[in-house]
Amino acid sequence: MNIIEITPAIRYVGVNDRSTPRFEQMWPLTYGVSYNSYLVCGEKTALIDSVEIGEYDALMDNLCEAGIDTVDYLVVNHMEPDHSGSIPVLLDRFPQMKIVCNKISAEQIKGYYHLKDISRLHVVADGDLLDLGGRTLQFVTTPMVHWPETMMTFCREDSVLFTGDAFGCFGALNGRYLDTQMSDAELETYFSEMYRYYACIVAKYGRFVQGAMGKTAALGYAWICPTHGPVWHRCIERVADIYRRLSLYEPEEGVTLIYGSMYGHTAELADRLCTALAAAGFRNIHVHNAANAELCDMITDCVRYGTIVIGSPTYSMDIFPPVAALLRALKVREMKNRVTAAFGSFTWAMGALPKITQELTDMGLAPSASMTMKHAYSCEIEEIINKFVNDLRQADIKEKR
Ligand code: FEO
């Protein structure tokens, strides 16, 4: 039973998923994930967001144990199926229930779930209010956080903001649902998962996150209820600060070094570069072998830290495919404010380095240092490594001024 009171009128009734191995079939759910639903009870009852269809029974168990036999409104803040999947069965289960949605989500509901009876829809616009009798819901459209229809819902009397994916994180909720119930150690796991979640799911939409944060700031909320992860109250400032920094592409000090290697020569170069970077004073260095690492972890470090070093052997006159995939993921996320460097290796023709350089330059992140290696490491390369690291150091210092 995942039910907890947030305020006398608002309860958490969400579910945990520890079975799905990958979110969106791509991102590892190391600690599971929660799909959060909330009940707001005035004279009428509203359910804020539903859950992934496989977890519908668990949601119904929660409603039953919460003593709820009627839901008057289902507020759809976000239509991605991890939150909207239960809409058709909820419509059947509660024949009088109206779906509260905006114009865009109304179209998506009709398209995804073949809803014919549009009298079941209560369409709202930005700023509209819904009186539940003793509790008032205010709707705030926040497009592209994370889809175009996304909106947030504010319960005025309780100062609770239901934020959809924004301020969410991976990680199932292990018997505690509110940050006020959790130890600092427990919270650190969720903060770490917040970086992963932001990098994988939200990072492309930084400017929209900024817009949403600006738009909701004046509401004066005391609780953040996202669709994934803990309910935030005592950590609101830290959570908002993480999302503010990430959405502005503000980096933390650190280096992400990502390389590919087929037979170990580029790997050796990466290892030697790593040692030289540390000797030159770079701190917080994170190294990934792109062929083995999770794309998710590589993106997360690039989204989090200020310096990115990328290396690849030449593969069919191109970038080694796992490294190319990482570059593509960075491009999709419109990375900004990073100092970059590139290195490549080849046997008979230099294909990878010019292409990495071009990719980074196209993103507005032209490398400040670059180097290439033919065949294998030899001690003559040491001088080239030193120049590479020195160039990167100078660019790093300049960036921090
Ligand atoms: Fe949790 Fe964008 O869905």
Side-chain angles (χ1 to χ4, degrees):
M1 181 174 96
N2 299 341
I3 304 171
I4 185 115
E5 183 178 290
I6 300 169
T7 70
I10 299 179
R11 277 170 288 178
Y12 176 93
V13 288
V15 303
N16 282 316
D17 178 356
R18 297 187 182 87
S19 304
T20 301
R22 287 178 184 267
F23 195 77
E24 296 178 345
Q25 303 294 324
M26 285 187 288
W27 316 114
L29 290 171
T30 315
Y31 304 105
V33 67
S34 69
Y35 310 120
N36 298 344
S37 278
Y38 303 93
L39 275 174
V40 183
C41 296
E43 289 165 25
K44 295 200 165 182
T45 299
L47 182 66
I48 312 285
D49 289 310
S50 75
V51 299
E52 200 269 333
I53 184 61
E55 302 297 333
Y56 168 76
D57 286 344
L59 173 66
M60 288 313 299
D61 287 347
N62 286 346
L63 295 184
C64 181
E65 290 179 39
I68 298 296
D69 51 21
T70 302
V71 172
D72 299 291
Y73 298 104
L74 169 64
V75 175
V76 175
N77 280 331
H78 181 25
M79 270 298 293
E80 194 165 5
D82 53 330
H83 311 296
S84 72
S86 295
I87 284 178
V89 274
L90 284 167
L91 282 167
D92 285 346
R93 175 67 183 78
F94 301 112
Q96 78 299 334
M97 183 188 81
K98 299 268 189 194
I99 296 180
V100 181
C101 59
N102 57 50
K103 225 164 81 178
I104 305 172
S105 38
E107 287 311 305
Q108 294 174 346
I109 290 166
K110 288 183 230 167
Y112 268 109
Y113 301 117
H114 311 297
L115 180 72
K116 297 282 184 294
D117 180 5
I118 58 165
S119 72
R120 302 293 302 272
L121 300 178
H122 177 90
V123 177
V124 296
D126 189 38
D128 280 1
L129 304 178
L130 179 66
D131 185 1
L132 299 178
R135 289 293 179 279
T136 315
L137 300 181
Q138 177 178 343
F139 305 102
V140 183
T141 52
T142 53
M144 301 315 299
V145 189
H146 138 230
W147 281 13
E149 83 297 348
T150 42
M151 65 179 190
M152 297 186 185
T153 299
F154 182 57
C155 180
R156 288 180 154 190
E157 291 78 4
D158 298 70
S159 301
V160 173
L161 184 63
F162 302 95
T163 57
D165 284 347
F167 309 114
C169 60
F170 292 135
L173 297 172
N174 302 327
R176 295 189 174 88
Y177 308 94
L178 317 181
D179 65 352
T180 48
Q181 301 174 298
M182 295 177 187
S183 69
D184 289 346
E186 283 173 309
L187 285 167
E188 284 314 312
T189 302
Y190 293 108
F191 284 122
S192 172
E193 288 292 272
M194 182 172 279
Y195 285 104
R196 268 198 336 121
Y197 181 80
Y198 185 92
C200 297
I201 311 298
V202 188
K204 178 176 172 54
Y205 309 107
R207 66 180 186 278
F208 298 101
V209 172
Q210 279 292 304
M213 289 180 78
K215 201 168 173 182
T216 52
L219 294 174
Y221 50 84
W223 295 86
I224 288 176
C225 295
T227 44
H228 302 288
V231 171
W232 302 111
H233 183 59
R234 81 173 166 103
C235 299
I236 274 189
E237 277 184 28
R238 182 170 172 190
V239 168
D241 188 56
I242 289 173
Y243 263 73
R244 181 194 62 75
R245 282 189 288 106
L246 291 174
S247 62
L248 288 170
Y249 297 87
E250 260 182 30
E252 292 176 38
E253 181 180 1
V255 180
T256 310
L257 191 158
I258 293 164
Y259 70 92
S261 187
M262 285 178 279
Y263 297 103
H265 300 111
T266 322
E268 182 181 359
L269 181 55
D271 207 43
R272 288 179 182 275
L273 274 174
C274 192
T275 304
L277 288 167
F282 284 93
R283 291 190 295 185
N284 207 7
I285 301 171
H286 304 261
V287 181
H288 300 274
N289 175 348
N292 300 329
E294 286 287 349
L295 183 61
C296 171
D297 295 333
M298 294 188 283
I299 300 169
T300 301
D301 283 345
C302 291
V303 162
R304 190 163 178 179
Y305 302 112
T307 305
I308 300 173
V309 181
I310 295 184
S312 170
T314 297
Y315 188 88
S316 301
M317 272 312 282
D318 211 326
I319 304 167
F320 187 54
V323 177
L326 179 271
L327 283 163
R328 172 155 179 74
L330 297 183
K331 190 174 189 176
V332 164
R333 284 159 182 77
E334 301 175 15
M335 292 296 300
K336 296 174 182 60
N337 300 336
R338 296 294 181 274
V339 175
T340 73
F343 63 98
S345 66
F346 65 100
T347 299
W348 69 93
M350 185 171 41
L353 182 62
K355 293 205 171 173
I356 298 173
T357 303
Q358 190 60 54
E359 294 269 355
L360 290 170
T361 304
D362 289 348
M363 288 185 237
L365 303 174
S368 301
S370 68
M371 64 169 289
T372 192
M373 176 179 81
K374 187 173 182 180
H375 296 160
Y377 175 81
S378 63
C379 53
E380 293 85 64
I381 291 174
E382 215 49 47
E383 203 175 313
I384 301 169
I385 289 178
N386 289 339
K387 180 175 183 330
F388 177 95
V389 170
N390 188 48
D391 287 349
L392 188 56
R393 192 72 183 141
Q394 294 310 315
D396 210 49
I397 291 167
K398 200 170 147 197
E399 179 70 19
K400 284 178 185 144
R401 273 191 201 128

